[in-house]
Amino acid sequence: AVFAPIRHDPAKQFWREFPSVFCKEENVRQPGVVCWVKTLQRRELHILDPNRRIHFRISGMQYGDKDFFVNDSFSDSLTFQAALLGELGRRWTVPIRDEIGRCERAAQYVGRLAWELSLAAGDKNDTTAESARTQFYFTIDQPFRLWLRSIDPETDKLDEKADEWQEKARKLAAELGRQMVERAGNAAFVGHRVEVKTGGKKDEKKTVLYTAPKAYNSFLYNLRKLYPKKEGGTA
């Protein structure tokens, strides 16, 4: 078998690569150091304390035109209990992967909100959505790292830890959305009518009114579906 290394996007936080690096998936070759940590935790060996926190670090280079020179170098790290890579952690990897997937969808919702707000304000900036997604990932970066670090596979309950993060993620996303609406200004509250394609065969178009309240309500609706509020949870 031939394995070709995939270049890491320096703008992408290391924890977002958790599934491809730490989860055993088909046609994915895990790093040797990850496999070694798993080996040291086998019951018959019992060499590595599962309660010990392991610090993983990645480093790489960003190349210039045609890979002739190096533009920049970067590094990132991630810390969590060794038990997550042992037998106790097998049932945790899927929920962690699912939460990362929800973060990806939440970022898409934030990006769409930014795009709709720009239309509502009469500004058709193609970079608005990407900038908003970047800002969202910056907002949840440290909270997610701390949540992952706090997981104790031996004593924690899956549902409770997942609910803990989902409530945190929902609050952070909702607050970011609220700030974006405030920054959109009065023009976005009044709104603008924009001509959009209907998707028909004859390139038919229709006029849609984009307003800040309409965009924000749609954003909150999608956010509640993604992170359903649990009983006893705070607003």
Side-chain angles (χ1 to χ4, degrees):
V2 177
F3 295 95
I6 299 176
R7 292 185 181 180
H8 176 72
D9 180 0
K12 193 172 185 180
Q13 293 88 346
F14 186 21
W15 59 263
R16 292 167 61 187
E17 300 283 12
F18 185 94
S20 60
V21 177
F22 301 106
C23 299
K24 190 66 176 178
E25 296 183 349
E26 188 178 355
N27 298 325
V28 173
R29 184 175 184 267
Q30 289 186 297
V33 66
V34 174
C35 297
W36 182 236
V37 170
K38 290 182 177 181
T39 299
L40 294 178
Q41 290 188 86
R42 289 178 183 171
R43 287 183 177 179
E44 62 270 23
L45 296 178
H46 195 60
I47 295 176
L48 184 64
D49 182 1
N51 293 321
R52 178 177 176 176
R53 284 192 171 90
I54 305 293
H55 186 75
F56 293 93
R57 179 174 291 278
I58 61 171
S59 60
M61 295 183 179
Q62 190 175 31
Y63 295 96
D65 185 41
K66 297 181 180 179
D67 293 350
F68 286 160
F69 56 90
V70 175
N71 263 347
D72 198 5
S73 61
F74 63 89
S75 66
D76 197 357
S77 61
L78 202 58
T79 303
F80 52 82
Q81 271 199 14
L84 279 179
L85 299 180
E87 294 181 10
L88 286 173
R90 289 178 182 173
R91 63 192 184 96
W92 284 85
T93 52
V94 172
I96 292 173
R97 183 181 62 192
D98 290 345
E99 293 309 324
I100 293 173
R102 287 191 180 92
C103 289
E104 299 283 349
R105 294 198 292 277
Q108 294 298 322
Y109 296 152
V110 170
R112 180 165 184 85
L113 172 62
W115 176 72
E116 291 185 354
L117 288 175
S118 68
L119 293 180
D123 178 22
K124 296 182 179 180
N125 189 344
D126 294 336
T127 64
T128 299
E130 183 59 33
S131 297
R133 287 193 291 268
T134 299
Q135 186 179 1
F136 171 72
Y137 280 122
F138 178 80
T139 301
I140 68 170
D141 182 46
Q142 286 303 316
F144 189 91
R145 292 175 190 270
L146 293 174
W147 174 75
L148 185 64
R149 182 188 177 98
S150 72
I151 294 176
D152 186 339
E154 187 174 3
T155 60
D156 289 337
K157 295 181 180 179
L158 280 171
D159 292 343
E160 290 181 357
K161 290 301 288 187
D163 290 347
E164 176 188 319
W165 169 250
Q166 289 181 25
E167 183 175 0
K168 183 74 173 179
R170 185 183 68 249
K171 286 182 178 179
L172 291 172
E175 176 60 20
L176 178 59
R178 185 189 65 79
Q179 294 173 5
M180 290 164 57
V181 170
E182 287 185 352
R183 291 196 297 267
N186 294 330
F189 275 85
V190 176
H192 281 76
R193 293 190 177 275
V194 180
E195 205 174 57
V196 297
K197 293 182 179 180
T198 61
K201 295 181 179 180
K202 297 182 179 180
D203 291 334
E204 296 177 349
K205 295 182 179 181
K206 65 178 181 179
T207 301
V208 178
L209 175 64
Y210 285 92
T211 68
K214 182 180 177 181
Y216 188 52
N217 286 336
S218 177
F219 168 70
L220 291 180
Y221 172 77
N222 289 329
L223 205 58
R224 291 190 192 102
K225 286 181 63 180
L226 183 62
Y227 296 119
K229 195 175 292 187
K230 304 294 191 300
E231 291 185 9
T234 56

